[in-house]
Amino acid sequence: MGGAVSAGEDNDELIDNLKEAQYIRTELVEQAFRAIDRADYYLEEFKDNAYKDLAWKHGNIHLSAPCIYSEVMEALDLQPGLSFLNLGSGTGYLSSMVGLILGPFGVNHGVELHSDVIEYAKQKLDFFIKTSDSFDKFEFCEPSFVTGNCLEISPDCTQYDRVYCGAGVQKEHEDYMKNLLKVGGILVMPLEEKLTKITRTGPSAWETKKILAVSFAPLIQPNHADSGKSRLVHLPPVAVRSLQDLARIAIRGTIKKIIHQETMNKNGNGLKNPPRFKRRRVRRRRMETIVFLDKEVFASRISSPSDDNNNSEDLEDERQEEEETKPSELKPDPPVNFLREKVLSLPLPDPLKYYLLYYREK
């Protein structure tokens, strides 16, 4: 087994490596990946492997390799306010990252076959909402998960702007998947051992692009042996937000703008304070590996041959950076949740403050 990129020591370094290898290419995707720590979705005894570019499976719980998720996120071309359907939503890791981009007026639904995985995903979602400072840096589109076989979605369900399927799709189910899309929508799925992007350009018009060679476990076919009847999966309704909830979103947005303006004024022309420490340089390297994962495989990109000529220079730069930082061993200050501090300082009744903060524990 091998990864497409080098293992990181933490979530930020994993993202640095994915950027270096061009698996993460846009700012929105990078922000979402940095905001959610991949290790939080691992069982405690397996967290040592969280920052390796490898898939992980334990019982019914499964996470694809980070390079797969990053390619999926890039291909989906996510924007605020869109609707998203995740078929085989698993731990909810991908759905939560997508929710950071969709924002408060998006739709974020997931279908998962295994009820124990749904419970695991709900626990991880609850942990993220209650404890992560990233929650206050974004306006989050909270995912909703339902249990069922994604091949048995009720035919009267709404169509979506973006759809991802996390299992291998057989050719006979291609049209079924396409019909889940709105016109103008994008579907990403493993089809005939290729991660495939399909854009619906009209009622009966499609554009198809092959992204990566992959090998996913196939979709599990519905089992009607017990009753002989299909068990239709009914997706969550698209609910209209309450006036109270809309007010909370607007107030939080206004406070964030005030904090941003205060930061601009304090730092002068919006310039950020220089960092107190340097992150280890990610060394460019020639990659010719083929990735073999648990029922998931793809060939990594091959970097430019000129990268090899830069290795000695990169090594020297890295050695100098290590020498510069070694004496002081400076560590970054703990992150400050400015939104929380600002809300708590307002002359408001405590119940209102806690409502604005979503009753979060941090």
Side-chain angles (χ1 to χ4, degrees):
M1 292 173 64
V5 301
S6 303
E9 294 180 2
D10 56 26
N11 197 67
D12 276 330
E13 194 166 296
L14 170 63
I15 308 315
D16 290 343
N17 294 340
L18 289 169
K19 284 188 64 181
E20 181 78 12
Q22 289 294 300
Y23 289 106
I24 291 178
R25 301 179 290 278
T26 59
E27 185 177 353
L28 277 178
V29 172
E30 179 185 351
Q31 289 174 349
F33 267 84
R34 291 195 189 278
I36 297 183
D37 195 322
R38 181 175 167 89
D40 289 341
Y41 288 79
Y42 276 66
L43 292 170
E44 193 66 36
E45 59 267 34
F46 299 103
K47 285 190 175 183
D48 287 347
N49 295 319
Y51 307 121
K52 297 177 181 177
D53 190 28
L54 299 172
W56 172 64
K57 192 174 189 305
H58 181 77
N60 292 326
I61 302 170
H62 176 263
L63 279 167
S64 291
C67 57
I68 295 292
Y69 282 136
S70 56
E71 284 288 2
V72 169
M73 292 275 285
E74 293 286 359
L76 285 170
D77 188 21
L78 297 160
Q79 303 295 331
L82 296 181
S83 56
F84 172 67
L85 177 61
N86 189 355
L87 303 175
S89 51
T91 66
Y93 172 63
L94 176 65
S95 291
S96 292
M97 288 194 293
V98 169
L100 296 175
I101 298 176
L102 297 183
F105 305 112
V107 175
N108 193 356
H109 294 163
V111 180
E112 169 56 43
L113 183 62
H114 304 288
S115 58
D116 60 324
V117 180
I118 288 278
E119 290 306 310
Y120 185 85
K122 289 179 178 178
Q123 291 172 15
K124 296 303 179 183
L125 175 62
D126 187 59
F127 178 79
F128 169 71
I129 291 174
K130 287 184 176 179
T131 66
S132 175
D133 283 328
S134 294
F135 182 85
D136 284 331
K137 296 176 183 176
F138 296 80
E139 291 298 342
F140 187 48
C141 182
E142 184 174 337
S144 298
F145 305 113
V146 296
T147 306
N149 190 309
C150 66
L151 293 175
E152 297 182 298
I153 293 175
S154 175
D156 61 356
C157 79
T158 184
Q159 293 177 316
Y160 291 79
D161 297 302
R162 301 290 186 268
V163 178
Y164 170 65
C165 182
V169 177
Q170 294 86 347
K171 188 66 177 177
E172 60 264 30
H173 297 307
E174 180 180 355
D175 288 341
Y176 171 90
M177 295 293 177
K178 287 179 176 180
N179 287 329
L180 297 171
L181 273 185
K182 295 179 180 179
V183 174
I186 296 173
L187 164 66
V188 178
M189 62 181 177
L191 179 67
E192 297 183 315
E193 299 194 345
K194 296 286 193 302
L195 188 64
T196 305
K197 175 180 178 179
I198 298 176
T199 305
R200 187 169 193 172
T201 57
S204 302
W206 316 86
E207 289 181 357
T208 301
K209 178 183 178 182
K210 305 295 184 182
I211 302 173
L212 287 174
V214 294
S215 180
F216 279 58
L219 284 170
I220 295 177
Q221 302 301 308
N223 183 3
H224 303 151
D226 295 337
S227 62
K229 296 181 180 179
S230 175
R231 300 175 182 175
L232 290 180
V233 175
H234 296 279
L235 297 171
V238 179
V240 178
R241 287 188 176 272
S242 67
L243 181 59
Q244 188 180 44
D245 200 18
L246 291 173
R248 174 166 57 184
I249 293 169
I251 293 170
R252 284 167 61 92
T254 300
I255 294 174
K256 287 179 181 179
K257 290 179 181 177
I258 293 172
I259 293 171
H260 176 70
Q261 188 59 51
E262 289 175 348
T263 303
M264 294 271 288
N265 294 338
K266 181 179 179 181
N267 293 336
N269 298 323
L271 295 177
K272 296 180 179 179
N273 290 327
R276 293 184 56 195
F277 74 108
K278 291 186 178 181
R279 177 169 297 282
R280 183 178 64 81
R281 182 186 180 96
V282 179
R283 189 191 314 159
R284 293 185 181 273
R285 64 195 68 196
R286 185 179 178 86
M287 295 182 297
E288 297 177 338
T289 58
I290 296 180
V291 183
F292 293 96
L293 308 174
D294 185 11
K295 296 183 179 179
E296 194 172 292
V297 57
F298 81 97
S300 69
R301 291 186 179 82
I302 300 176
S303 59
S304 169
S306 63
D307 290 343
D308 292 337
N309 299 330
N310 295 329
N311 278 350
S312 59
E313 181 182 344
D314 289 340
L315 283 169
E316 180 62 23
D317 289 344
E318 185 174 334
R319 185 186 64 78
Q320 290 179 1
E321 288 179 4
E322 288 176 350
E323 289 178 355
E324 289 173 4
T325 58
K326 193 172 183 180
S328 57
E329 293 293 330
L330 291 177
K331 294 182 179 180
D333 291 331
V336 178
N337 189 327
F338 293 104
L339 177 66
R340 181 178 180 83
E341 288 190 348
K342 180 68 75 173
V343 169
L344 292 176
S345 69
L346 294 174
L348 298 173
D350 285 345
L352 181 52
K353 292 180 182 180
Y354 300 144
Y355 178 75
L356 290 173
L357 294 171
Y358 288 87
Y359 305 98
R360 284 162 39 77
E361 295 177 356
K362 282 184 67 178

